[in-house]
Amino acid sequence: MRHRLIVPAAAAAALTLAIPASAAEPAPGAPGVGDPYYPSYGNGGYDVSHYDLRLKYQPKTDRLDGTATLLATTTQELSRFNLDFALDVSEVRVNGKKAHFDTSGEHELEITPAQSLGKGERITVVVRYSGTPSEVEVGGFTGWHRTKDGGVAANEPESAWWWFPSNDHPTDKATYDVSVAVPDGTQAISNGTLQSESSSNGWTRTSWRSDKPQATYLATLAVGRFDVTEDTTGNGIPVITAYSKDLGAVDGAARASLDRTAEVTDWLEGVFGPYPFNSVGGYVPNVDAGFALETQTRPFYGKRAFDKGSNVSVVVHELAHQWYGDSVSLSRWKDIWVNEGFAAYSQWLWSEHEGEGTAQELADHTYDSRPADDPFWKVKPGDPGPENQFHDAVYDRGALALQALRNEIGDKDFFAILKGWPAEHEGGDATVADFVRYAEGVSGKPLAELFDTWLYTAGKPDRAALGGSTATTRAATTEPASWDSIQAAKHAAHGH
């Protein structure tokens, strides 16, 4: 019930001035979250808590039909809000009522509900859509990979636009239910745990669930003919891996790599702490891509990652991301080092574990392999710019920063940080500055200068900044045994 307040005219004028404009007039949500690298990515005015995706996909034509149901809470009074999406939309409903919708730019779906939405209101948004993902380009590229027997959604920093509408930024993470109908004899692979699989009238419907917060770009879908294998880690976590049935010559190398997923996960738990999700694995589709991606619980591996033979190092890299990048996500895309520096360094630790070269030897070799005038040293891993987001320097110089930190504070505090950080921020997001403060808190040492040298200063740092013993430095003139595999894994790590 509403009550009408009657006040004298002068008091009414003062009261009017005191009422915030936002309380009087609902406003459109922002068409982006304000990320300096990608200003139009994500949207303002609401937070998504859950995506329910019910899809039907025909591999022969690459036709995708879907109904997405988003559960969200408004963060302001809204007259209109946006979703990021690039396929054709036929209907939108907000809280059960038909909503007006339009498009703007290349990936903005503008939704005007039948009535404005209050701040803090729980809302349900239903979007019906269809399209041929491989024929849709945004900015001259597509995040959808067409294969002989289906298609794959996997790319960074964007891939959701080609298969579901979303608030596409890592700061708005949500849980997922993904249910996909495909022709019998074809599999649908996604994130999380398998909930059900049934067949009817020539179609098989498979349902997957991700019950922990997941960024939109980490959601994946792969449809095709796969050999699916199951295993468990030492702690009983289910391992699901899938290999395209037409991988050809790289099939053996791919299996020799991904079949060690349980072993690698067990080892990483000793480095980073308990695995943060309830499923793990990976898949190798027949996609002629030279990159891999840490899609949550089920990394994507382009088959070219195995051209030269088995590549366990890339498996280590993508699984390390489950802690650094997936469970703890970046707050802005300039904080990419929070993801890549640690995943790259995990490869050095794996080399040390396998007896193929210590992390210090690999750091010394990395430092010595590029002269001071190499453009590599001009890229600042702490803020590389969108054009250099996946530059070698973000990986290699980023890992050097961690070796320098290890030498500065000692192994006890260093490995305490590697475990403590993902536990501290589990399910959330963080910045490079957050990590620096955390490392200073654990070690009790001022570390701003160290990180400024390695992450924010152009030019090759003085060797003294790396630390390590003179004996180790001299030994590094011999290339470590695992150098080639680490480089191959690094170049297979990401691509956009």
Side-chain angles (χ1 to χ4, degrees):
M1 180 180 292
R2 263 190 170 166
H3 297 278
R4 188 177 178 191
L5 177 64
I6 301 175
V7 294
L15 183 61
T16 300
L17 292 174
I19 298 175
S22 61
E25 294 291 337
V33 299
D35 192 304
Y37 282 14
Y38 306 104
S40 67
Y41 288 21
N43 303 284
Y46 63 93
D47 287 317
V48 181
S49 60
H50 185 71
Y51 291 92
D52 183 274
L53 308 178
R54 189 168 181 85
L55 312 174
K56 185 176 183 180
Y57 179 74
Q58 175 53 262
K60 289 183 179 179
T61 60
D62 196 38
R63 168 82 176 191
L64 177 69
D65 294 277
T67 299
T69 303
L70 285 67
L71 306 182
T73 302
T74 61
T75 57
Q76 67 174 71
E77 293 195 18
L78 283 172
S79 60
R80 188 182 75 230
F81 61 93
N82 286 19
L83 293 172
D84 297 297
F85 196 46
L87 298 186
D88 296 327
V89 174
S90 59
E91 183 183 30
V92 177
R93 290 180 177 267
V94 178
N95 294 338
K97 298 180 176 63
K98 278 194 173 184
H100 176 77
F101 63 91
D102 204 348
T103 58
S104 65
E106 292 185 294
H107 63 89
E108 295 289 343
L109 175 63
E110 295 183 346
I111 299 171
T112 304
Q115 60 187 47
S116 61
L117 305 172
K119 182 178 179 180
E121 183 176 344
R122 295 179 64 181
I123 62 173
T124 301
V125 183
V126 177
V127 182
R128 302 184 193 279
Y129 57 93
S130 61
T132 306
S134 61
E135 295 179 357
V136 176
E137 290 191 352
V138 179
F141 75 96
T142 176
W144 182 268
H145 309 272
R146 188 81 165 95
T147 64
K148 293 178 181 178
D149 54 10
V152 175
N155 199 32
E156 184 181 19
E158 63 287 286
S159 65
W161 308 344
W162 287 269
W163 68 292
F164 69 98
S166 68
N167 190 18
D168 191 30
H169 194 270
T171 50
D172 193 3
K173 299 162 79 168
T175 56
Y176 287 73
D177 281 308
V178 179
S179 179
V180 190
V182 296
D184 287 348
T186 306
Q187 286 87 22
I189 308 297
S190 192
N191 312 80
T193 54
L194 180 64
Q195 299 297 297
S196 65
E197 189 171 46
S198 61
S199 180
S200 177
N201 297 321
W203 291 82
T204 297
R205 179 166 290 279
T206 306
S207 298
W208 299 87
R209 172 168 293 169
S210 295
D211 65 350
K212 293 289 182 72
Q214 177 176 287
T216 45
Y217 84 96
L218 296 173
T220 192
L221 175 65
V223 176
R225 297 180 182 275
F226 291 95
D227 178 19
V228 180
T229 66
E230 297 183 16
D231 194 3
T232 57
T233 70
N235 286 328
I237 298 165
V239 181
I240 301 173
T241 52
Y243 307 92
S244 177
K245 291 185 176 181
D246 60 352
L247 285 178
V250 304
D251 182 80
R255 291 173 186 267
S257 305
L258 268 67
D259 281 359
R260 297 182 69 181
T261 293
E263 173 195 355
V264 171
T265 303
D266 289 340
W267 173 77
L268 284 169
E269 284 195 304
V271 178
F272 296 140
Y275 182 71
F277 308 114
N278 65 359
S279 178
V280 69
Y283 70 97
V284 189
N286 188 6
V287 173
D288 191 28
F291 71 95
L293 184 64
E294 66 270 18
T295 40
Q296 193 160 303
T297 70
R298 195 129 303 114
F300 158 90
Y301 299 92
K303 70 175 186 177
R304 278 164 45 199
F306 310 103
D307 276 350
K308 295 182 179 180
S310 62
N311 192 350
V312 180
S313 192
V314 74
V315 175
V316 172
H317 184 107
E318 302 309 332
L319 292 180
H321 273 311
Q322 304 306 304
W323 286 264
Y324 284 84
D326 293 11
S327 180
V328 184
S329 299
L330 44 76
S331 290
R332 290 292 185 265
W333 280 104
K334 72 175 184 177
D335 296 308
I336 189 66
W337 177 79
V338 173
N339 295 14
E340 301 303 346
F342 294 86
Y345 192 76
S346 71
Q347 296 171 257
W348 293 5
L349 293 177
W350 176 257
S351 172
E352 200 167 90
H353 169 72
E354 293 287 272
E356 294 187 349
T358 67
Q360 183 66 57
E361 288 171 338
L362 288 161
D364 288 332
H365 188 79
T366 300
Y367 180 91
D368 292 336
S369 65
R370 297 182 184 271
D373 60 355
D374 193 310
F376 168 92
W377 298 108
K378 294 181 180 180
V379 177
K380 305 170 187 177
D383 189 1
E387 71 282 0
N388 288 318
Q389 192 173 342
F390 304 114
H391 192 279
D392 283 356
V394 175
Y395 298 77
D396 290 349
R397 186 170 174 174
L400 285 171
L402 289 172
Q403 184 61 30
L405 174 65
R406 181 179 179 181
N407 289 333
E408 175 67 21
I409 66 176
D411 277 10
K412 180 180 178 181
D413 284 345
F414 179 74
F415 286 102
I417 288 168
L418 292 191
K419 286 185 177 179
W421 170 260
E424 180 89 3
H425 295 276
E426 183 175 357
D429 56 82
T431 67
V432 176
D434 291 330
F435 179 80
V436 174
R437 284 191 292 269
Y438 182 81
E440 288 180 328
V442 172
S443 68
K445 291 189 173 185
L447 298 170
E449 183 178 352
L450 182 150
F451 285 107
D452 184 64
T453 295
W454 288 102
L455 301 183
Y456 296 105
T457 303
K460 187 173 184 176
D462 185 84
R463 175 174 283 284
L466 181 58
S469 69
T470 304
T472 302
T473 300
R474 283 199 300 267
T477 56
T478 301
E479 187 174 293
S482 62
W483 177 253
D484 284 342
S485 65
I486 289 174
Q487 291 302 297
K490 179 192 69 184
H491 291 297
H494 293 295
H496 162 52

